C-alpha cells in the first residue's frame, strides 16, 4: 500500500486553515488533530519501511510541464526519521499550545504553525529540486509572522532580520537550482527531478559556483559561523512553542539539504571544497560552545548550543570517510538534537514561570527545591545534550568524530574539544537554574500534570531513542553510504 | 475591359474584420460611453457608464479569445494580430476592469466627467492594443500617442488637487520628450532601412549592423520606449506621476502601460531588429541591471505606498528586460507570464491603497495600513499576498514568474542576469516586508481615523456590504454617494466611519485569489504565455 504523502504534507495545513476560522479555545485542539494524523502515518511508514528498497511511497505527477517541474514526493532512509522528528515535535508543540495558548489571535497562530509544519514536511519529502526550493522558502513565511506578531521585544525588526538573512541565501539557491536544471543536459527538455539531475552531473567548474549558492543557503539556515547574525534576535523574539519547532526541526532541513542535494548533485565540487565546510564546521563548534557558556539568556544558550551542534552535523556530513560513519552520525545527530532542544525550550518556559518571567539564568537558582520531577526531567535532557555515554547523542557524536578522525585528523581533534565544552554549557545551565542559592525572584513549585503532557512524551522519546538508535541508523545506512561513495568515487 | 475593372475591385486592400474586431469593439465602446456620459441623470452617469465600460472590455476580451491563434498580419501588414497581441489584450482588459471598479466611487470621475473619464480609459487601451499589434513604425507611433495622450489627461482628473494636476503636467512634458525621442529614432530607422514595415527593417538588419544611422535610431528608440516602460535611467517621472495621479489611474497605468511598453519592445526588438541583436542586447542587459538596482534601492525608505510601488515597478521592469534580452521564445513567454501576474499582484495592492485612502484620510502613507491585520482581514490578506508575491515568495505567482525569467536568462547564456534578478529580489524584501509589517505588526495609531467602531468587513459584515451595494445603485444618490478619495480633505474623509466599498474589496480579493491560484497551479497561464511566445516562430 502506498501512503499518499500529499496527505501527510497537507493535512496540518488543512487543520490550520480550519483553526484560523475557529474560536481561540478550539483552535489548538484542531491543530492537535492536524498533527496527530501525520504522526500516525509516520509511525506506519516506519514499521512498513524497507531499508533496501530505495525511494518508497512515491507520488509522481506532472505539475508544471513548461518548466519541467514535477510533483514528486517520496520517502527513503534519509528523510524517514527526520519526518518522524518533525511530526513528533509538531505534536508536542500542539499540546503545548493547548496547555499554554498564546495571549491573542490563537487561531491565526495555529494556522501559521501548521503552515510551518506543512512546509517542513514538504521540504523533507520533495524529490524535485524546484519543489524543495519552494517548500524551503515557504518555511520562512509562517515564522516571519510568528515572530512579528506574537514575539517579544523588538519583534518586527527581529523578524525582518531573520527573513532577509535567510532569504538572501534561499534566493541565491533558487537561481542556482534553476541553473542546475537548465544547464544539466541542455539538449533534453528541462527537468528538476533530483534523481534525473543526479544522473547527469554538471562540469566541475559549473558545479563549484552552484555549490557555493546551495551551501550558503544551508549554512545561513542552520545557522553556522559566520552566518549566525540573525539568530540571537530571532531566538529572543520568537514565541517559545514556535521556537521549539524552529530550532528542533527547521535547522535540520539545512543539514538534510546537504545530504540530499549538495553531495549528490555536486560531487566534484564537494570533493574540492569540503575542507572549507569542515573548517567552518569546527569554528561553529568552538564559537557556538564558547558563546553558549558565556551567555546568560537561556534562549541564547540554547541558540548557540545549536550552532555548535549543527557544526558537529556539518563536520559529519563533509568528513567523507570511506565508511560514511561521519555522514551517518550526522543524520543520527540531526534527529537527536531536534529531540533534545525542543523539550529544553519548554523547560525554559517552565523556569521563566518560576522566576517571575525572567529568561536570564542569573535570576534562576534553587528551582529544584520544590520541583524534583521537573529537575529530573531537565537533568535527563541536559545529559542527553552533552552526549552522555548511553544517550543517542553519544552515538551520534561518536560516529561523527570517528568519521572525521579517519579523514581529517587535525580538525577532528579540535572538534572533540567541543564535546567537553558541551558538558560545560549544559551543566552550567542546569546547575544555575536548579541548584545554587534560591534566586530572588524564584518561587519553586512542581510542574503540573498538564505541563507533563508536553515534557514527558519528549523525554520518553529521548530515552527510547537512546536505547535503540540503531533503528534510524539502519534505515539511513544504505542511502547515506551510496551518497558518500558517489562523492568519493 | 469590364473584366479588368472587376479584377481591380477584388484586389482592394483586404481587411480581416474578424481579426480587427477587438479594436473596433473598443472604438465603438469609447464612443458610446462618451455619448451616454453626456446624460444628465446621476444614475446614468454614475452607474450605467461604468457598466458600459465593463461591457466594452468584456466584449473586447471575448473577441480576443475568439481570435486566439489567428496569427495574421492585417491591413497590408500594418497590424499583427497574433497570440502575443491577444494575450496582452487580456492583460489590458484586466487592468481596465480593475481600474473601472476602483474608479466607481472615485471623486476624480465626477470632476472629470464620467463619460470622458471612462472614454479616455478605453481610448488608452485601444492605443495599447495598436501599439503591441504594430508591425510598422508609423502604426507604432500612432499607438504610442493614442496610449499616452489619454493618460496625461487621466492623471490630472482629480482637478481640485494640486498634485494631480502636477502629475498630469509632469507626465505630459516628460512623456512628450519620450515621444519625441522615439519619433526621432523611428525616423532614423526608416532612413536607414528604407521602409517602415518591420519586415523591411528585418530584411536589412544584418547588413546595417554597423551603420551609424541605424545604430543611432536603435539607441533613440530604445530610450523612447524606456521612458514608457520606466526603465532606469529614464524612470524619474514614475514616482512623482504615480504619487500624484488618482490611485485608480495609477493602478491602471502601472500595469497596463507596462504591459504595452513591453509588448512593443518585444515585437520591435525581437522581430524587426533581431539581426542587430549583438548591438542592442548588451545595452539592454546593462539597462536591466541598472534598473534593478535603481528601482530596488529607490523603493527602500519610501513612506508613500504609491511611490514605493512606482520604484517597485521600475525594479520589476528590470527583471522583465532579462526576458527580452535573451531573444528566445522562452524569454518572450517568461515576459508575458510575468506581465500577467504583475497585473494581479499590483492591482491587489492598489485596491487596498484605494480603500484605505478613502477610509483613513492618511492618503497613501504607509501608516494608513497600521493595524489592518486586526481590523480588516479582508484588506490585510490581499495586501500581504500582493507584497509577498512581488517579493517572489513561494505559493504565490511571483515565485514561478521569477523561476520562469531566471530559467529564460540562464538558458541562453545570461546567467548573470538571473543572479541580478535574485539580488534585486533580496533587496526588495526590505520594502515589501515593511508593508507586511505595517499591516500585521503595528497597532493602529490612536489618532488614526480608522475607527475601531467600524464594522470589520470580514465574513460577518456581509449585510453591511449588501446594504451598501443596494444603496450604491440607488438612483437618487448624488454627490453623497461619491466617496472622497486620494488625499481628499481630511474633513471629507472623516465623514465615513461606515465606508463600505464592496467593489474595491472585491478587486483586492479576486487579485489575491488569482495570485495564489497561479502560485499553486500556473500551468494554464503558462500555456497562454507559451502560445504567445510561439507566435515568434523565427526565434529559438
Amino acid at each position: 500500500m502506498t501512503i499518499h504523502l500529499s496527505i501527510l504534507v497537507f493535512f496540518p495545513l488543512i487543520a490550520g486553515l480550519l483553526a484560523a476560522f475557529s474560536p481561540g479555545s478550539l483552535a489548538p485542539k484542531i491543530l492537535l488533530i492536524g498533527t496527530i494524523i501525520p504522526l500516525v502515518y509516520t509511525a506506519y511508514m516506519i514499521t512498513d519501511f524497507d531499508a533496501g528498497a530505495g525511494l518508497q511511497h512515491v507520488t509522481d505527477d506532472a505539475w508544471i510541464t513548461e518548466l519541467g517541474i514535477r510533483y514528486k514526493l517520496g520517502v527513503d532512509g534519509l528523510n524517514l526519521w527526520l519526518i518522524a522528528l518533525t511530526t513528533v515535535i509538531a505534536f508536542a508543540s500542539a499540546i503545548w499550545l493547548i496547555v499554554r495558548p498564546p495571549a491573542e489571535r490563537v487561531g491565526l497562530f495555529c494556522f501559521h504553525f501548521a503552515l510551518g509544519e506543512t512546509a517542513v514536511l514538504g521540504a523533507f519529502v520533495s524529490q524535485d529540486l524546484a519543489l524543495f526550493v519552494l517548500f524551503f522558502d515557504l518555511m520562512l513565511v509562517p515564522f516571519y509572522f510568528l515572530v512579528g506578531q506574537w514575539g517579544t521585544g523588538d519583534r518586527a525588526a527581529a523578524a525582518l532580520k531573520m527573513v532577509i538573512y535567510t532569504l538572501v541565501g534561499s534566493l541565491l539557491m533558487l537561481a542556482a537550482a534553476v541553473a542546475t536544471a537548465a544547464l544539466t543536459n541542455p539538449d533534453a527538455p528541462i527537468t528538476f527531478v533530483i534523481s534525473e539531475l543526479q544522473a547527469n552531473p554538471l562540469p566541475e567548474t559549473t558545479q563549484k559556483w552552484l555549490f557555493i549558492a546551495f551551501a550558503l543557503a544551508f549554512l545561513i539556515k542552520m545557522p553556522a559561523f559566520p552566518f549566525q547574525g540573525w539568530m540571537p534576535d530571532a531566538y529572543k523574539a520568537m514565541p517559545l512553542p514556535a521556537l521549539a519547532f524552529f530550532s528542533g526541526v527547521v535547522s535540520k532541513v539545512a543539514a538534510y539539504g546537504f545530504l540530499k542535494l549538495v553531495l549528490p548533485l555536486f560531487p566534484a565540487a564537494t570533493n574540492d571544497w569540503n575542507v572549507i565546510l569542515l573548517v567552518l564546521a569546527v569554528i561553529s563548534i568552538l564559537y557556538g560552545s564558547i558563546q553558549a557558556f558565556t551567555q546568560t539568556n537561556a534562549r541564547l544558550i540554547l541558540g548557540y548550543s545549536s550552532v555548535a551542534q549543527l557544526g558537529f552535523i556539518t563536520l559529519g556530513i563533509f568528513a567523507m570517510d570511506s565508511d560514511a560513519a561521519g555522514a551517518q552520525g550526522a543524520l543520527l545527530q540531526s534527529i537527536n538534537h531536534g529531540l533534545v532542544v525542543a523539550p529544553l525550550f519548554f523547560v525554559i518556559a517552565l523556569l521563566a514561570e518560576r522566576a517571575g518571567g525572567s529568561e536570564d539564568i542569573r535570576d534562576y537558582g534553587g528551582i529544584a527545591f520544590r520541583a524534583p520531577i521537573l529537575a529530573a526531567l531537565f537533568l535527563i535532557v541536559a545529559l542527553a545534550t552533552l552526549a552522555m555515554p548511553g544517550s543517542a547523542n553519544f552515538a551520534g557524536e561518536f560516529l561523527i568524530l570517528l568519521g572525521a578522525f579517519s579523514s581529517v585528523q587535525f580538525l577532528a581533534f579540535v572538534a572533540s574539544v567541543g564535546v567537553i565544552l558541551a558538558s560545560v554549557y549544559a551543566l552550567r545551565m542546569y546547575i544555575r537554574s536548579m541548584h545554587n542559592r534560591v534566586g530572588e525572584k524564584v518561587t519553586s513549585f512542581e510542574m503540573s500534570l498538564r505541563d507533563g503532557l508536553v515534557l514527558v512524551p519528549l523525554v520518553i522519546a529521548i530515552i527510547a531513542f537512546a536505547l535503540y538508535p540503531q533503528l534510524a541508523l539502519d534505515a539511513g545506512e544504505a542511502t547515506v553510504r551510496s551518497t558518500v561513495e558517489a562523492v568519493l568515487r | 475591359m469590364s473584366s479588368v475593372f472587376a479584377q481591380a475591385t477584388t484586389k482592394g486592400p483586404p481587411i480581416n474584420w474578424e481579426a480587427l474586431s477587438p479594436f473596433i469593439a473598443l472604438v465603438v465602446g469609447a464612443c458610446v460611453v462618451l455619448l451616454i456620459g453626456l446624460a444628465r441623470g446621476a444614475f446614468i452617469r454614475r452607474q450605467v457608464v461604468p457598466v458600459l465600460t465593463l461591457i466594452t472590455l468584456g466584449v473586447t476580451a471575448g473577441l480576443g479569445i475568439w481570435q486566439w491563434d489567428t496569427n495574421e498580419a492585417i491591413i497590408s501588414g500594418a497590424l499583427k494580430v497574433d497570440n502575443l497581441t491577444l494575450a496582452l489584450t487580456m492583460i489590458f482588459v484586466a487592468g481596465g476592469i480593475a481600474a473601472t471598479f476602483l474608479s466607481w466611487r472615485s471623486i476624480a470621475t465626477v470632476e472629470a466627467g464620467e463619460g470622458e473619464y471612462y472614454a479616455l480609459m478605453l481610448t488608452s487601451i485601444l492605443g495599447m492594443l495598436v501599439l503591441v499589434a504594430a508591425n510598422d513604425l508609423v502604426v507604432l507611433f500612432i499607438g504610442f500617442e493614442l496610449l499616452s495622450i489619454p493618460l496625461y489627461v487621466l492623471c490630472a482628473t482629480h482637478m481640485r488637487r494640486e498634485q494631480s494636476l502636477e502629475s498630469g503636467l509632469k507626465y505630459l512634458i516628460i512623456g512628450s520628450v519620450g515621444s519625441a525621442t522615439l519619433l526621432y529614432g523611428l525616423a532614423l530607422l526608416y532612413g536607414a532601412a528604407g521602409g517602415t514595415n518591420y519586415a523591411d527593417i528585418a530584411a536589412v538588419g544584418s547588413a546595417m549592423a554597423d551603420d551609424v544611422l541605424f545604430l543611432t535610431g536603435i539607441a533613440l528608440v530604445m530610450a523612447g520606449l524606456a521612458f514608457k516602460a520606466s526603465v532606469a535611467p529614464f524612470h524619474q517621472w514614475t514616482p512623482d506621476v504615480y504619487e500624484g495621479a488618482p490611485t485608480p489611474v495609477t493602478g491602471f497605468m502601472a500595469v497596463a502601460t507596462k504591459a504595452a511598453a513591453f509588448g512593443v519592445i518585444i515585437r520591435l526588438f525581437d522581430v524587426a531588429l533581431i539581426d542587430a541583436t549583438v548591438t542592442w542586447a548588451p545595452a539592454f542587459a546593462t539597462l536591466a541591471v541598472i534598473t534593478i538596482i535603481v528601482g530596488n534601492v529607490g523603493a527602500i525608505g519610501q513612506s508613500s505606498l504609491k511611490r514605493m510601488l512606482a520604484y517597485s515597478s521600475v525594479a520589476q521592469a528590470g527583471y522583465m528586460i532579462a526576458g527580452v534580452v535573451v531573444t528566445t521564445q522562452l524569454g518572450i513567454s517568461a515576459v508575458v507570464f510575468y506581465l500577467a501576474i504583475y497585473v494581479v499582484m499590483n492591482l491587489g495592492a492598489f485596491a487596498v491603497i484605494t480603500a484605505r485612502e478613502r477610509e483613513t484620510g492618511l492618503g497613501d502613507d504607509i501608516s494608513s495600513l497600521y493595524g489592518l491585520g486586526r481590523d480588516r482581514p479582508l484588506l490585510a490578506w490581499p495586501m500581504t499576498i500582493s507584497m509577498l508575491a512581488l517579493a517572489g515568495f513561494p505559493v504565490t505567482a511571483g515565485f514561478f514568474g521569477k523561476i520562469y525569467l531566471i530559467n529564460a536568462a540562464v538558458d541562453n547564456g545570461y546567467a548573470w542576469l538571473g543572479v541580478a534578478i535574485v539580488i534585486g529580489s533580496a533587496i526588495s524584501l526590505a520594502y515589501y516586508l515593511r508593508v507586511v509589517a505595517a499591516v500585521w505588526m503595528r497597532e493602529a495609531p490612536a489618532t488614526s481615523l480608522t475607527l475601531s467602531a467600524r464594522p470589520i468587513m470580514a465574513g460577518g459584515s456581509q449585510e453591511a456590504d449588501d446594504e451598501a451595494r443596494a444603496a450604491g445603485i440607488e438612483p437618487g444618490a448624488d454627490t453623497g454617494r461619491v466617496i472622497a478619495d486620494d488625499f481628499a480633505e481630511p474633513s471629507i474623509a472623516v465623514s465615513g466611519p461606515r465606508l463600505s466599498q464592496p467593489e474595491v474589496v472585491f478587486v483586492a480579493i479576486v487579485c489575491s485569489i488569482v495570485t495564489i491560484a497561479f502560485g499553486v497551479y500556473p500551468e494554464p497561464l503558462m500555456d497562454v504565455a507559451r502560445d504567445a511566445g510561439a507566435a515568434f516562430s523565427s526565434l529559438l
Side-chain angles (χ1 to χ4, degrees):
Chain A
M1 178 183 139
T2 305
I3 293 180
H4 295 287
L5 288 174
S6 309
I7 300 174
L8 170 80
V9 172
F10 291 106
F11 198 85
L13 181 61
I14 293 165
L17 279 172
L18 286 177
F21 291 105
S22 25
S25 56
L26 194 60
K29 294 179 183 119
I30 296 174
L31 178 68
L32 182 70
I33 296 168
T35 56
I36 286 178
I37 303 290
L39 187 68
V40 173
Y41 257 22
T42 317
Y44 170 76
M45 283 197 299
I46 288 172
T47 56
D48 190 46
F49 188 75
D50 178 0
L55 207 60
Q56 292 160 47
H57 308 295
V58 180
T59 304
D60 190 1
D61 290 309
W63 184 25
I64 305 170
T65 44
E66 176 76 3
L67 293 175
I69 301 174
R70 292 188 72 79
Y71 181 71
K72 187 174 180 188
L73 311 176
V75 172
D76 58 12
L78 216 51
N79 58 16
L80 178 70
W81 281 88
L82 288 167
I83 295 168
L85 171 74
T86 311
T87 52
V88 167
I89 308 268
F91 174 71
S93 299
I95 299 178
W96 185 342
L97 285 172
I98 293 177
V99 178
R100 292 156 184 270
E104 50 166 11
R105 287 187 278 183
V106 183
L108 208 52
F109 189 108
C110 292
F111 166 73
H112 284 304
F113 185 86
L115 181 60
E117 189 188 354
T118 290
V120 171
L121 287 174
F124 278 136
V125 297
S126 294
Q127 303 297 330
D128 181 287
L129 188 54
L131 198 60
F132 175 85
V133 174
L134 186 148
F135 281 120
F136 190 79
D137 287 359
L138 183 63
M139 280 190 311
L140 207 52
V141 178
F143 288 99
Y144 171 70
F145 285 103
L146 286 170
V147 173
Q149 279 183 272
W150 290 272
T152 47
D154 196 0
R155 54 198 188 173
L160 186 64
K161 196 171 173 184
M162 174 180 84
V163 171
I164 290 187
Y165 250 99
T166 46
L167 211 59
V168 166
S170 302
L171 283 167
L172 283 176
M173 182 174 80
L174 170 69
V178 175
T180 309
L183 300 175
T184 298
N185 207 356
D187 298 329
I190 185 170
T191 178
F192 279 90
V193 177
I194 294 170
S195 54
E196 288 175 36
L197 295 176
Q198 199 180 338
N200 300 294
L202 290 160
E204 190 170 338
T205 42
T206 319
Q207 278 190 25
K208 279 185 173 179
W209 290 108
L210 299 173
F211 178 93
I212 295 177
F214 274 88
L216 199 60
F218 294 143
L219 289 175
I220 293 174
K221 196 79 174 187
M222 278 181 159
F225 185 87
F227 308 106
Q228 80 290 359
W230 59 272
M231 189 274 290
D233 289 344
Y235 270 51
K236 272 193 277 188
M238 200 180 287
L240 280 170
L243 185 53
F245 186 77
F246 186 84
S247 184
V249 178
V250 173
S251 56
K252 307 305 171 299
V253 182
Y256 169 76
F258 275 126
L259 282 171
K260 176 75 189 174
L261 300 175
V262 174
L263 266 50
L265 293 182
F266 314 119
T270 307
N271 263 329
D272 291 344
W273 281 354
N274 73 331
V275 176
I276 299 173
L277 270 294
L278 288 171
V279 170
L280 284 181
V282 171
I283 297 175
S284 296
I285 294 171
L286 297 180
Y287 174 84
S289 305
I290 291 167
Q291 285 284 344
F293 68 72
T294 50
Q295 294 290 335
T296 57
N297 183 312
R299 290 176 181 224
L300 289 190
I301 295 174
L302 294 186
Y304 282 111
S305 79
S306 297
V307 172
Q309 293 293 323
L310 283 154
F312 269 112
I313 292 170
T314 315
L315 181 73
I317 292 170
F318 286 94
M320 295 295 152
D321 57 308
S322 50
D323 262 353
Q328 291 187 51
L331 187 59
L332 180 60
Q333 192 62 5
S334 298
I335 302 158
N336 289 333
H337 178 245
L339 272 182
V340 299
V341 85
L344 281 175
F345 279 111
F346 192 65
V347 168
I348 290 182
L350 297 180
L351 294 178
E353 192 184 46
R354 283 156 182 74
S358 169
E359 286 170 356
D360 192 315
I361 59 166
R362 285 171 300 189
D363 292 337
Y364 295 168
I367 295 180
F369 187 49
R370 289 185 198 279
I373 299 175
L374 173 60
L377 293 175
F378 187 10
L379 186 63
I380 293 171
V381 183
L383 289 179
T385 307
L386 62 82
M388 193 74 166
S391 67
N393 299 54
F394 175 75
E397 283 190 10
F398 178 76
L399 280 172
I400 290 171
L401 289 173
L402 184 71
F405 266 114
S406 61
S407 63
V408 277
Q409 253 174 19
F410 173 72
L411 287 175
F413 184 73
V414 179
S416 46
V417 176
V419 181
I420 303 162
L421 294 176
S423 55
V424 177
Y425 60 71
L427 289 178
R428 169 175 172 261
M429 188 169 158
Y430 179 77
I431 293 167
R432 287 293 284 262
S433 51
M434 286 301 170
H435 299 312
N436 282 6
R437 193 169 298 144
V438 179
E440 267 176 38
K441 300 180 187 170
V442 169
T443 44
S444 172
F445 53 91
E446 188 52 275
M447 59 191 283
S448 66
L449 201 60
R450 291 165 66 86
D451 293 337
L453 284 176
V454 186
L455 205 49
V456 172
L458 285 171
V459 172
I460 290 174
I462 293 172
I463 295 171
F465 210 53
L467 293 176
Y468 205 61
Q470 209 59 34
L471 266 179
L473 283 173
D474 286 347
E477 191 180 351
T479 322
V480 172
R481 204 179 276 278
S482 65
T483 304
V484 172
E485 277 167 3
V487 175
L488 288 176
R489 219 181 294 129
Chain B
M1 182 72 188
S2 64
S3 64
V4 171
F5 190 73
Q7 217 170 19
T9 43
T10 48
K11 270 199 168 179
I15 293 178
N16 183 345
W17 292 102
E18 290 171 355
L20 200 60
S21 57
F23 298 77
I24 297 168
L26 281 172
V27 175
V28 173
C31 295
V32 170
V33 164
L34 187 62
L35 290 175
I36 300 285
L38 295 175
R40 291 181 63 105
F43 173 72
I44 293 180
R45 284 189 282 121
R46 299 267 158 73
Q47 313 296 342
V48 174
V49 167
V51 168
L52 282 173
T53 312
L54 291 180
I55 291 172
T56 307
L57 292 169
V59 169
T60 310
L63 292 170
I65 293 168
W66 174 49
Q67 284 301 310
W68 192 255
D69 278 334
T70 302
N71 294 333
E72 248 183 76
I74 57 171
I75 320 182
S76 315
L79 292 173
K80 180 105 184 190
V81 179
D82 57 10
N83 286 346
L84 177 71
T85 307
L86 296 173
L88 291 174
T89 305
M90 302 306 152
I91 292 175
F92 306 145
V93 166
I97 288 174
T100 310
F101 276 122
L102 298 189
S103 308
W104 208 293
R105 291 155 207 258
S106 167
I107 206 158
T109 57
V110 182
E111 289 186 356
E114 290 83 352
E116 288 89 331
Y117 182 94
Y118 291 111
L120 283 170
M121 206 169 79
L122 290 175
T123 316
S124 183
I125 293 176
L126 176 65
M128 293 170 186
L129 224 62
V130 173
L131 186 63
V132 298
N135 199 29
D136 186 288
L137 297 182
V138 178
V139 181
L140 186 160
F141 190 69
I142 293 172
F144 196 79
E145 291 299 293
L146 195 56
L147 142 73
S148 307
I149 294 171
L151 275 181
Y152 302 148
V153 184
L154 280 175
C155 284
T157 43
H158 205 168
M159 278 184 268
R160 271 180 278 166
R161 228 184 70 230
E162 207 177 311
Q163 273 171 305
S164 176
L165 298 178
E166 182 196 325
S167 153
L169 187 62
K170 205 172 250 173
Y171 195 22
L172 170 65
I173 294 171
I174 296 175
S176 306
V177 173
S179 296
T181 317
L182 175 70
L183 188 58
Y184 200 16
L186 295 179
L188 293 182
L189 279 188
Y190 169 57
T196 57
N197 199 286
Y198 286 6
D200 300 339
I201 300 168
V204 300
S206 48
M208 302 291 276
D210 296 328
D211 187 80
V212 177
L213 204 58
F214 196 66
L215 293 182
T216 319
I218 292 177
L220 290 174
V221 168
M222 200 185 270
L225 293 176
F227 269 109
K228 256 302 156 282
S230 335
V231 170
F234 308 102
H235 69 286
Q236 274 102 342
W237 59 274
T238 319
D240 293 345
V241 174
Y242 274 35
E243 189 188 13
T247 309
V249 176
T250 311
F252 173 67
M253 228 163 57
V255 300
T257 314
K258 184 82 70 189
F262 271 95
V264 67
I265 288 174
I266 286 174
R267 199 182 294 282
L268 183 61
F269 284 88
D270 285 354
V271 173
L273 302 174
I274 186 68
D275 287 327
T277 310
V278 281
T279 61
W280 60 260
F284 249 146
T286 316
L287 284 184
V289 174
I290 296 173
T291 307
I292 289 171
I293 294 169
V294 167
N296 280 314
V297 173
I300 297 173
Q302 298 289 347
S303 64
S304 153
L305 291 171
K306 276 151 81 181
R307 284 186 84 86
M308 188 276 278
L309 284 173
Y311 278 109
S312 123
S313 87
V314 173
Q316 309 270 340
Y319 305 153
M320 284 186 270
I321 292 178
V324 180
V325 168
V326 296
T327 58
T328 54
Q329 286 189 12
L330 187 64
I332 294 171
S333 303
V335 174
V336 172
F337 182 83
Y338 205 89
L339 282 171
I341 60 168
Y342 177 79
V343 170
V344 283
M345 298 189 293
N346 268 284
L347 285 176
F350 278 110
V352 177
I353 296 172
T354 307
R356 292 306 280 177
E357 272 180 347
R358 294 173 185 173
E359 282 169 5
T360 63
L362 293 168
D364 66 336
D365 194 85
I366 193 164
S367 59
S368 67
L369 298 177
Y370 287 174
L372 204 63
R374 195 176 295 258
D375 294 345
R376 303 287 301 272
L378 285 193
L379 289 179
W381 280 108
M383 194 66 176
T384 310
I385 290 168
S386 281
M387 289 301 130
L388 294 182
L390 283 166
F393 273 89
V395 195
T396 65
F399 181 73
F400 289 116
K402 293 240 165 76
I403 287 198
Y404 213 163
L405 279 176
I406 296 171
N407 183 15
V410 174
D411 198 49
N412 210 22
Y414 279 95
W416 57 277
L417 269 182
V419 174
I421 291 175
V422 296
I423 291 174
S425 310
I427 303 173
S428 74
L429 292 173
Y431 54 91
Y432 290 133
L433 289 182
R434 185 163 167 240
V435 176
V436 178
V439 170
W440 294 102
M441 299 164 199
R442 300 290 287 263
E443 302 300 322
T447 52
S448 159
L449 302 167
T450 327
L451 303 180
S452 48
R454 194 199 42 251
I456 294 166
M457 257 195 194
S461 69
Q462 194 57 46
E463 313 93 327
D465 289 2
D466 290 344
E467 187 185 302
R469 195 176 292 121
I473 303 168
E474 228 173 81
D478 206 2
T479 40
R481 194 44 43 207
V482 173
I483 296 167
D485 71 341
D486 329 336
F487 280 106
E489 314 299 319
S491 58
I492 302 174
V494 179
S495 68
R498 276 183 53 79
L499 287 187
S500 186
Q501 316 163 57
E503 76 281 354
V504 178
V505 180
F506 172 74
V507 170
I509 290 173
V510 167
C511 285
S512 51
I513 288 174
V514 173
T515 308
I516 296 287
F518 284 137
V520 175
Y521 193 64
E523 189 86 357
L525 189 58
M526 284 196 175
D527 285 343
V528 172
R530 193 183 45 224
D531 283 357
F536 293 76
S537 47
S538 59
L539 299 180
L540 277 174

